[in-house]
Amino acid sequence: MATAEKAVTLNVTGMTCASCVRRVERALSRVEGVETASVNFASETARVTLGAPVPVEALVAAVEKAGYHARPVHEGEQRNPADAARGTLLQLLAASVFAVPAVILAMAMDIAGLHLFDNSTLHGWVVLALATPVQFGLGWRFYRGAWASLRQLNPNMDVLVALGTTVAYVYSAWVVAADRHDVHMYFDVSVAVLLFISMGKYFEETSKGAASQAIRALLNAAARTATVIREGQELEVPVESVRVGDIFRVRPGQRIPVDGVVVEGTATVDESMLTGESIPVERSAGDRVYAGTLAQGGSITVEATAVGADSMLQQLARLVEEAQGSKAPIQKLVDQVAAIFVPVVIVIAAAAFLAWGLAAGDWGKGMIAAVAVLVVACPCALGLATPAAIMVGTGLGAARGVLVRNAEVLQRTRALNVVVLDKTGTITEGRPQVAEVVTFGEWGRRELLRLAAAAESPSEHPLSRAVVDAAVDEGLAISNASEFESFTARGIQAMVDGRLVQAGNRALFEEFGFDLSPIAPEIEALEARGQTVVVVAVDGEVAGLLGLFDAVKPNARRAVEALHRLGLRVVMLTGDNERAAAAVAEQVGVDEFRAGVRPEDKLAFVRELQAQGLSVAMAGDGINDAPALAQADVGIAMSTGTDVAIEAGDIILLHGDVAKIAEAIALSRATLRTIRQNLLWAFGYNVVAIPIAAAGLLNPLFAGAAMALSSVSVMANSLRLRTKARDLARAAGNEYTAPVQGVFAANRGPLIAMGLAFVLLVVPMVVFTGIDRGWFGNDGGNHAGHQAG
């Protein structure tokens, strides 16, 4: 028996509306050991987090008991909700063979009084024979869903469809069996409603597949085999058998099978599937490469560092899937409405039936009004409004190298006022280099650099690594350091070859009690050139200065300008000196900056802004940025940074592209706008359509078509985000080369099919109405008392 220990994802089928989502969540939450259960209607998944080990079978059983089908989703499995659409399409085609003639013949008799063989009784039985397989074949999914929901005392959309069409069908069957020629049959209503709603479900399912395209695109990029070098021989093996430490070769045109570090060779690598950037990058010895990316020119030998679920590709797919399965806070309103929606609609339908029957004395009109109310109501659109937009938006972000951790982040981006940027690694390359070495007294340049590098060698700080790299580049022998001590964001000290070596910024040396006034001109000269100054002392005496320079990213100014266009105030924080910070600030065009900032100061600054009532986004890449990232309303982490920073980020930018910050915020806001548009449509549609139907002003045939279109329109509006992606990228100053479809092209299938279905419905209705009323020069229908139903 398989046991889930932390979290498990289930594929859940059989859900038809927001009420189903609520019921599945409730069923899973009742299983002992389950902490939270979040169901995504659009992706047909349930993500369950656990507080204690729970057998997967227990979770599946809970879903099955609630009336749905479930199975666990395995790591790397590709699921496409559109797969279910094939079965629906086959059902539609089979049902259409009976449904089309049934609708036409029913309209012919009810509207124009025309019938086969000049025999209305035989005509009625033929229509009944055609309508029956549609009612119980195509309608079986609705009956099954209705029965399952009623058993749980939680009626859903299936109850409305099954109840509405059954009333029309049973009443019409009674008319035929009783041989009543003085009243209408409504087989055209029951058949056409089922046809339209099933057609809507089909296009809804195909649209879900399009919305979940992002995860499938990521997983499709994975290589299936790897060329591993073992005992001097190249062996082609399944990628699953590659282990950490294995050496493998990648040739031009091959996908890199697992994450690794290049040990030999140089190649250009297309990383667009991870970053969204079409321009290949050069990778050589020491550089990291990632599974799924495509080697182009050149051959490289790579050592595997992460395989399977630990690879960047699988982690990204997992992050995207978790984001798509999360719920925005705005969804709470939908869940509350969904809990009472169907019962309220049934009450309104019953009230309409009684009002027409008792007040107007027209029970037939009352039945038609009740059926129209039941059919036109659409909880399905409510259920799709939020998850469909989230799936498309987060999927687009992943394709552009922007990962949004959950749906709540989307809602928080709307209120942002300020973006705080850490300088090193965010605005600058994060790879400082020693630009100048200034020595004092009898100290030589090489000896000063050697001692400083030895003292700095135990540290992982970027400035420390830069000093060590400079010494290695000059071929200096670096001694081992002992008694190493680090002073956070200020410097270090250590014993090297029996001598005390201290290295750090001016503030640290003032704490040590050094008088730096004699060398202040030299320090200020380096700072004026935009360099970070490291003071080096040996045995208590200042021996020299190291000037380090970190180049500004080429697109940093463009990124800041894009943030300004979004109406955001941009602030830069740095632990660097005032002059170096001012030089960078002027170069990139930020609104303000603060220099000499310690990690705790970054956190305090974010809190200070929030205390002013401002909503703050913080972007950074280092361990010292993590507290501020976690405190900010939206934390934006560069994936080139530390794991701690990435874990603290709400939005993760692949390859640390600062220009993607504005694009991430713009895409998040566009996704939230789409959610609001969907909800406005879903609520507005029901608020307007239900009273019109209750008033007897809506033909049930058109009610069914409207209901189907409401769900399709929500999906189409969500997919419209794909057409906006290029504009959002270019507005942020980023390249966008992927082909973009227009709104019609992206939804051509549903629009054409629904249009043809409307023609099929309206043309016969117009023709038979014309015959009945003598529009075509005839004397009218055979039964003057017939009216359009």
Side-chain angles (χ1 to χ4, degrees):
M1 179 180 289
T3 301
E5 296 182 354
K6 293 183 179 179
V8 64
T9 300
L10 302 176
N11 175 223
V12 182
T13 56
M15 297 185 295
T16 59
C17 66
S19 298
C20 301
V21 170
R22 188 178 178 86
R23 185 159 61 254
V24 174
E25 287 178 342
R26 194 160 53 207
L28 288 169
S29 298
R30 288 172 179 165
V31 177
E32 187 175 353
V34 171
E35 285 190 347
T36 62
S38 178
V39 175
N40 188 312
F41 180 37
S43 64
E44 298 182 343
T45 57
R47 182 159 183 83
V48 186
T49 55
L50 308 172
V54 176
V56 175
E57 290 79 3
L59 301 176
V60 172
V63 176
E64 298 279 351
K65 186 177 179 181
Y68 305 93
H69 302 292
R71 64 177 183 80
V73 176
H74 303 292
E75 189 75 49
E77 179 181 345
Q78 300 182 45
R79 305 181 318 284
N80 186 357
D83 292 342
R86 298 187 185 97
T88 304
L89 179 60
L90 291 175
Q91 289 180 343
L92 266 173
L93 293 175
S96 296
V97 174
F98 299 94
V100 173
V103 169
I104 293 174
L105 291 176
M107 283 185 178
M109 185 167 183
D110 283 336
I111 297 176
L114 301 176
H115 42 73
L116 293 174
F117 313 116
D118 224 12
N119 185 328
S120 60
T121 301
L122 177 60
H123 185 109
W125 283 103
V126 169
V127 177
L128 174 61
L130 290 170
T132 300
V134 179
Q135 184 69 37
F136 298 105
L138 193 61
W140 177 247
R141 65 186 293 174
F142 301 106
Y143 284 117
R144 185 180 58 210
W147 173 245
S149 69
L150 290 173
R151 279 171 46 208
Q152 300 294 320
L153 300 179
N154 191 359
N156 62 1
M157 185 200 80
D158 290 330
V159 172
L160 301 180
V161 176
L163 184 58
T165 58
T166 300
V167 168
Y169 173 83
V170 170
Y171 175 81
S172 302
W174 170 80
V175 169
V176 172
D179 201 18
R180 294 287 301 271
H181 304 298
D182 57 330
V183 292
H184 286 295
M185 295 185 300
Y186 295 103
F187 286 121
D188 51 345
V189 171
S190 63
V191 169
V193 164
L194 287 172
L195 197 63
F196 273 121
I197 293 176
S198 297
M199 189 180 296
K201 296 300 291 183
Y202 167 69
F203 290 122
E204 179 188 308
E205 288 162 355
T206 57
S207 297
K208 286 177 181 178
S212 62
Q213 185 178 1
I215 293 178
R216 296 198 310 279
L218 282 173
L219 295 177
N220 283 336
R224 301 290 180 259
T225 61
T227 303
V228 178
I229 301 174
R230 290 175 180 164
E231 298 180 358
Q233 292 187 329
E234 293 187 3
L235 303 173
E236 187 169 337
V237 300
V239 71
E240 293 80 10
S241 66
V242 179
R243 298 290 177 263
V244 173
D246 281 351
I247 305 296
F248 60 90
R249 193 182 306 283
V250 182
R251 294 184 171 85
Q254 293 182 333
R255 289 201 178 273
I256 295 171
V258 298
D259 293 1
V261 175
V262 178
V263 295
E264 184 181 343
T266 300
T268 54
V269 181
D270 179 0
E271 298 181 342
S272 58
M273 52 78 62
L274 288 180
T275 66
E277 298 299 329
S278 60
I279 301 174
V281 293
E282 186 174 283
R283 296 293 181 230
S284 55
D287 291 336
R288 289 189 173 275
V289 291
Y290 300 98
T293 56
L294 181 66
Q296 294 183 336
S299 174
I300 50 177
T301 304
V302 184
E303 179 182 352
T305 58
V307 300
D310 295 327
S311 71
M312 175 73 82
L313 181 68
Q314 291 289 348
Q315 289 182 53
L316 295 187
R318 192 158 54 246
L319 275 173
V320 174
E321 189 167 352
E322 288 174 4
Q324 292 183 340
S326 64
K327 288 190 176 185
I330 199 171
Q331 180 71 19
K332 292 178 181 178
L333 174 62
V334 177
D335 292 341
Q336 292 169 355
V337 172
I340 61 171
F341 185 88
V342 174
V344 167
V345 170
I346 293 174
V347 169
I348 293 173
F353 175 68
L354 293 174
W356 278 100
L358 295 175
D362 192 341
W363 292 100
K365 187 74 170 179
M367 185 191 70
I368 291 301
V371 170
V373 169
L374 292 170
V375 169
V376 81
C378 188
C380 191
L382 285 172
L384 285 170
T386 301
I390 290 172
M391 285 183 69
V392 177
T394 54
L396 279 172
R400 295 289 299 157
V402 175
L403 295 182
V404 179
R405 197 173 287 277
N406 56 58
E408 186 178 350
V409 176
L410 300 174
Q411 199 154 330
R412 293 202 298 266
T413 60
R414 178 174 176 269
L416 287 178
N417 308 111
V418 184
V419 176
V420 179
L421 303 176
D422 176 59
K423 180 178 78 71
T424 304
T426 303
I427 292 178
T428 63
E429 295 287 359
R431 294 191 294 271
Q433 297 177 332
V434 175
E436 297 184 52
V437 178
V438 178
T439 61
F440 302 119
E442 298 180 356
W443 286 98
R445 180 183 182 282
R446 289 171 62 84
E447 180 63 11
L448 176 70
L449 184 59
R450 184 187 75 82
L451 290 173
E456 296 273 17
S457 60
S459 173
E460 292 297 324
H461 193 280
L463 295 180
S464 299
R465 304 318 306 162
V467 174
V468 174
D469 290 343
V472 171
D473 290 342
E474 294 197 15
L476 301 176
I478 301 176
S479 304
N480 292 326
S482 61
E483 300 178 34
F484 174 82
E485 187 175 358
S486 174
F487 304 93
T488 304
R490 288 169 293 163
I492 57 90
Q493 69 177 19
M495 297 298 296
V496 179
D497 297 339
R499 313 185 79 164
L500 174 64
V501 179
Q502 296 166 303
N505 60 20
R506 186 187 300 197
L508 179 62
F509 273 79
E510 288 174 351
E511 287 181 27
F512 286 157
F514 282 81
D515 179 14
L516 300 182
S517 57
I519 60 171
E522 287 83 356
I523 293 176
E524 291 171 2
L526 292 175
E527 291 178 345
R529 293 194 284 274
Q531 296 179 17
T532 301
V533 177
V534 175
V535 181
V536 181
V538 180
D539 291 335
E541 292 186 3
V542 176
L545 305 173
L546 303 179
L548 292 93
F549 181 76
D550 190 6
V552 172
K553 292 180 178 179
N555 54 4
R557 185 174 187 88
R558 192 181 73 213
V560 172
E561 290 172 350
L563 290 170
H564 284 153
R565 286 195 294 272
L566 291 175
L568 296 168
R569 171 182 159 200
V570 184
V571 181
M572 182 185 79
L573 299 184
T574 178
D576 214 339
N577 63 78
E578 186 84 14
R579 290 184 180 85
V584 173
E586 183 179 0
Q587 187 175 347
V588 300
V590 297
D591 298 300
E592 59 186 275
F593 69 90
R594 289 198 180 185
V597 176
R598 298 182 183 183
E600 59 269 25
D601 297 331
K602 295 179 182 180
L603 175 62
F605 181 67
V606 170
R607 286 176 173 167
E608 177 186 325
L609 292 173
Q610 290 173 330
Q612 297 171 20
L614 299 173
S615 181
V616 183
M618 170 75 193
D621 71 333
I623 292 176
N624 59 0
D625 298 320
L629 287 172
Q631 175 65 36
D633 298 280
V634 178
I636 302 173
M638 306 292 178
S639 68
T640 49
T642 63
D643 292 340
V644 176
I646 293 172
E647 190 62 32
D650 298 308
I651 296 175
I652 302 166
L653 304 183
L654 301 182
H655 286 248
D657 188 352
V658 66
K660 291 292 178 66
I661 294 176
E663 187 175 343
I665 294 173
L667 179 59
S668 298
R669 288 179 171 180
T671 303
L672 184 62
R673 278 196 302 272
T674 302
I675 291 173
R676 292 177 179 275
Q677 290 167 358
N678 287 348
L679 288 174
L680 180 64
W681 166 252
F683 279 112
Y685 162 83
N686 284 290
V687 167
V688 173
I690 292 174
I692 291 176
L697 301 176
L698 185 61
N699 187 305
L701 278 72
F702 292 107
M707 190 269 206
L709 272 175
S710 66
S711 298
V712 173
S713 64
V714 165
M715 292 302 304
N717 188 51
S718 299
L719 292 173
R720 201 163 57 91
L721 273 170
R722 296 191 298 183
T723 68
K724 293 181 180 179
R726 178 184 59 192
D727 297 334
L728 292 172
R730 291 181 176 174
N734 296 326
E735 179 189 14
Y736 193 93
T737 57
V740 176
Q741 289 182 307
V743 177
F744 178 78
N747 303 282
R748 184 185 294 113
L751 292 172
I752 292 176
M754 295 300 281
L756 290 174
F758 267 115
V759 170
L760 177 66
L761 174 68
V762 173
V763 170
M765 183 176 289
V766 171
V767 170
F768 293 135
T769 301
I771 292 173
D772 182 51
R773 299 184 180 180
W775 293 348
F776 307 115
N778 60 332
D779 294 330
N782 296 331
H783 297 269
H786 285 290
Q787 302 172 11

